[in-house]
Amino acid sequence: MISRRDFLQTSMAASAIYGASGFGQWGRLAAQQAVTQDQLLQFDTFGNVSLIHITDIHAQLKPIYFREPSINIGVGSNKGLVPHVTGADFRKMYGIDDGSYAHYALSSGDFEALAKGYGRVGGLDRVATVINQIRSDRPDALLLDGGDTWHGSYTCHHTQGQDMVDVMNALKPDAMTFHWEFTLGSDRVNEIVEGLPFAALGQNIFDAEWDEPAELFPPYKFFERGGVKIAVIGQAFPYMPIANPGWMFPEYAFGIRDENMQEMVDQARAEGAECVVVLSHNGFDVDKKMAGIVTGIDVILSGHTHDALPEPVIVGDTIIVASGSNGKFVSRVDLDIQNGRMMGFRHKLIPILSDVIEPDKDVAAVINTVREPYEEALSEVIGQTDSLLYRRGNFNGTWDDLICDALLSEREADIALSPGVRWGPSILPGQDITREDLWNVTSMSYGKAYRNEMTGEFLHVVLEDVADNLFNPDPYYQQGGDMVRTGGLGYRIDITKPQGERITEMTLLKTGEKIDPAKTYQVAGWASVNEGTEGPEIWDVVESHIRKQGTVKLAPNNSVTVVGA
């Protein structure tokens, strides 16, 4: 008798062969072949339940360019597995033709040329069109937002998230969970959540003082769809007080809370749930581990690490769906739920090619309304770039090279540090750099650019700590994000070593001398989680630097030598 897991694997294999899931059929299109909206949205309706997943929008209301990472290193049991496969290996794995729009959407290779051919991606008015099309086919589809929504742009910062709240309300989601939202401060988050017309979920959001579930964020909500009772359980980012400033939300505690998740799954099943969906902001590898521990979950909709995968990954009886970031993709998942069991699924990761998908007029009007007071500031040109500006990559991105250059020069520092955040659109060579572009990669509520003295020994501790966050073989000790970016500092990293032994050969680049553990260096950085950090805002620092440069041109960054990847 075939097991449920084997059945799901067979279902996924059939999907890949017959085009029911992912980019399989798109990868076989001839290179640069014209694509229509109907082709992008074509889907053979399946089963009795539909889920629509969006996540990690980072306040990107308008179409953007966004380059996927060329390096995404996996460690431990995840080494060599998706999402830690990139470039040509990734395209080969999923049957994606070079030059196709699946190549452009999912891979970094030939990004500049393909971007010129296929255009920008995203735009929540285009996302709305896709959602509306799915709803026209399946009127009771569940729309679920994985968080990192009220953060990441000029207008989001200046409206304290209200621009995104207004636009998302127009999309009419059924539920969301959280991460960067909490950096608005708990008072503002509480104010927004109390007025939301949909569920704000987080089984792992607890009252810090009493160590009990926070009343404002219920662990789950039931929905009746397609004759099926569905429980959607929220899983907020577990590491909030570590990765972000805990003083901004002192009354809340987080954590993975596997045991509580299992209790919530069991409780929902006891209350009649025939299908259990976890709306997660754990990050993909953490979700994989959780799926192997907690039983009874049918679907995990994964967010936080910005991975875009054309096929779900199966762990036990659970399918895990990754839907990218920045409004670049929408996932549709159709489920066949019979007698309280998921008997099969059909999935499609839909790329939001903004030149192909017609914008929804109603949502476009809301976007224009929330942006209108800021248009003059947003559109002001502060410089140009001769280099491709992008952020993604385990060790460096050209946006962060530019930010580090600005910190070194404007703050008169020996060494610069920039956080390894994954959000932020790309800019093509030859484009103007506007204030909006700059804020898209620097906007946060704790953006002070500090300048401190640090010993070489302390710098080593900082690098080792961040490296363990990336390369600890246990996913539960990984917080997502990438390695802290460095300016003026080179080093060697062996990712196979234990914490404390990964970072060696630290070098001050301007002199070529080895970093002395006992010596003090002037270090500039930003996004410190410490309360009371002083300094100018990072966007002002970088804007001043760009204006002095006029045209930005970045040399290749070879300051980090990676061993063991």
Side-chain angles (χ1 to χ4, degrees):
M1 183 176 181
I2 190 169
S3 71
R4 185 179 179 213
R5 173 178 167 78
D6 290 341
F7 181 86
L8 290 176
Q9 287 179 322
T10 303
S11 173
M12 186 167 73
S15 293
I17 294 169
Y18 298 112
S21 180
F23 281 92
Q25 73 276 30
W26 301 341
R28 289 187 286 272
L29 291 174
Q32 301 292 337
Q33 178 178 325
V35 60
T36 66
Q37 178 172 305
D38 287 345
Q39 285 175 306
L40 288 177
L41 303 185
Q42 191 278 329
F43 191 92
D44 295 327
T45 304
F46 177 79
N48 47 359
V49 170
S50 290
L51 310 175
I52 309 169
H53 184 224
I54 53 178
T55 191
D56 296 279
I57 294 169
H58 286 288
Q60 296 305 309
L61 294 171
K62 303 288 281 187
I64 57 169
Y65 293 108
F66 188 85
R67 174 190 179 274
E68 297 296 325
S70 57
I71 299 174
N72 188 351
I73 299 171
V75 293
S77 61
N78 289 306
K79 184 176 182 178
L81 302 179
V82 293
H84 307 290
V85 181
T86 60
D89 292 335
F90 183 93
R91 298 194 297 275
K92 181 179 180 181
M93 177 178 290
Y94 290 107
I96 297 171
D97 282 350
D98 290 350
S100 66
Y101 59 91
H103 174 177
Y104 171 54
L106 286 161
S107 183
S108 62
D110 299 318
F111 179 77
E112 295 173 37
L114 294 175
K116 292 173 183 176
Y118 290 115
R120 287 176 169 83
V121 296
L124 289 191
D125 50 0
R126 277 79 166 179
V127 169
T129 296
V130 173
I131 292 169
N132 291 340
Q133 175 66 30
I134 296 172
R135 284 171 168 160
S136 70
D137 181 45
R138 182 88 83 179
D140 60 356
L142 280 174
L143 173 59
L144 302 171
D145 173 13
D148 276 1
T149 305
W150 315 334
H151 160 269
S153 74
Y154 185 97
T155 57
C156 191
H157 181 87
H158 284 82
T159 65
Q160 291 190 290
Q162 194 61 47
D163 63 333
M164 291 305 299
V165 172
D166 291 349
V167 175
M168 292 304 294
N169 284 350
L171 294 181
K172 300 179 181 178
D174 294 286
M176 74 175 292
T177 194
F178 302 90
H179 173 198
W180 275 91
E181 288 78 7
F182 277 94
T183 65
L184 291 171
S186 53
D187 288 347
R188 177 59 176 153
V189 171
N190 295 348
E191 177 187 12
I192 295 175
V193 169
E194 287 170 357
L196 287 179
F198 52 86
L201 303 177
Q203 73 85 22
N204 60 333
I205 305 177
F206 272 49
D207 181 289
E209 181 178 0
W210 298 100
D211 193 33
E212 59 186 24
E215 292 184 5
L216 192 58
F217 302 94
Y220 58 87
K221 183 175 179 178
F222 282 112
F223 299 90
E224 291 279 353
R225 296 291 192 271
V228 176
K229 189 173 183 179
I230 304 165
V232 177
I233 304 176
Q235 176 78 357
F237 181 56
Y239 308 107
M240 284 297 304
I242 302 171
N244 303 97
W247 55 269
M248 290 183 164
F249 38 88
E251 65 268 51
Y252 292 115
F254 298 84
I256 296 171
R257 300 186 188 270
D258 275 350
E259 292 183 3
N260 194 66
M261 174 65 81
Q262 185 67 72
E263 289 179 15
M264 294 302 98
V265 173
D266 294 344
Q267 183 173 304
R269 291 286 187 184
E271 294 173 4
E274 300 167 274
C275 175
V276 173
V277 176
V278 171
L279 180 60
S280 172
H281 206 89
N282 275 337
F284 197 82
D285 288 349
V286 177
D287 281 328
K288 282 180 63 179
K289 180 172 178 178
M290 187 177 72
I293 295 172
V294 179
T295 61
I297 301 171
D298 294 300
V299 181
I300 297 177
L301 301 175
S302 186
H304 177 58
T305 39
H306 293 198
D307 309 300
L309 295 181
E311 301 286 355
V313 169
I314 298 177
V315 177
D317 291 338
T318 303
I319 67 169
I320 308 175
V321 174
S323 303
S325 67
N326 287 268
K328 189 177 177 182
F329 299 96
V330 172
S331 281
R332 175 176 178 176
V333 188
D334 278 17
L335 308 173
D336 181 25
I337 307 296
Q338 302 294 333
N339 300 317
R341 294 177 66 83
M342 182 172 69
M343 302 305 296
F345 67 89
R346 186 167 290 161
H347 162 272
K348 189 170 188 177
L349 181 68
I350 303 168
I352 308 301
L353 301 180
S354 59
D355 290 343
V356 176
I357 296 173
E358 189 74 19
D360 177 82
K361 292 180 180 179
D362 292 338
V363 173
V366 179
I367 292 171
N368 291 338
T369 296
V370 298
R371 285 173 56 90
E372 193 277 331
Y374 307 98
E375 283 292 354
E376 184 177 352
L378 291 168
S379 60
E380 183 174 349
V381 176
I382 61 176
Q384 291 76 36
T385 181
D386 276 351
S387 299
L388 173 66
L389 297 179
Y390 65 90
R391 172 156 271 159
R392 291 298 307 278
N394 283 142
F395 292 98
N396 73 285
T398 49
W399 261 122
D400 290 304
D401 292 340
L402 176 58
I403 291 170
C404 285
D405 286 349
L407 287 165
L408 290 172
S409 62
E410 296 292 315
R411 301 293 281 152
E412 299 179 347
D414 301 315
I415 293 166
L417 303 177
S418 187
V421 295
R422 295 174 183 248
W423 43 270
S426 306
I427 305 294
L428 302 182
Q431 279 192 275
D432 290 336
I433 303 172
T434 65
R435 181 168 290 113
E436 178 169 25
D437 296 327
L438 176 56
W439 277 73
N440 281 345
V441 293
T442 58
S443 175
M444 64 168 64
S445 56
Y446 51 105
K448 298 292 186 184
Y450 61 83
R451 183 176 183 269
N452 295 332
E453 291 187 344
M454 297 184 188
T455 65
E457 181 181 22
F458 184 74
L459 277 166
H460 184 259
V461 169
V462 169
L463 293 181
E464 286 282 2
D465 183 61
V466 180
D468 195 61
N469 171 43
L470 261 75
F471 302 118
N472 190 302
D474 185 344
Y476 277 15
Y477 289 91
Q478 301 170 11
Q479 299 165 20
D482 287 309
M483 189 65 185
V484 60
R485 280 64 163 107
T486 59
L489 174 68
Y491 61 90
R492 180 182 186 271
I493 178 170
D494 186 338
I495 66 172
T496 66
K497 299 289 187 181
Q499 185 173 10
E501 300 178 21
R502 293 188 178 99
I503 307 293
T504 57
E505 300 178 22
M506 293 171 60
T507 305
L508 188 65
L509 296 180
K510 67 181 180 181
T511 64
E513 66 187 69
K514 298 297 183 184
I515 295 293
D516 183 342
K519 188 175 179 178
T520 297
Y521 301 88
Q522 293 292 341
V523 179
W526 64 291
S528 170
V529 299
N530 297 321
E531 189 172 9
T533 299
E534 296 182 353
E537 299 289 1
I538 186 62
W539 43 84
D540 292 332
V541 172
V542 182
E543 178 171 333
S544 176
H545 176 75
I546 293 173
R547 287 191 183 279
K548 291 173 183 176
Q549 298 293 310
T551 298
V552 171
K553 188 171 182 63
L554 297 165
N557 186 341
N558 300 310
S559 61
V560 179
T561 300
V562 182
V563 177

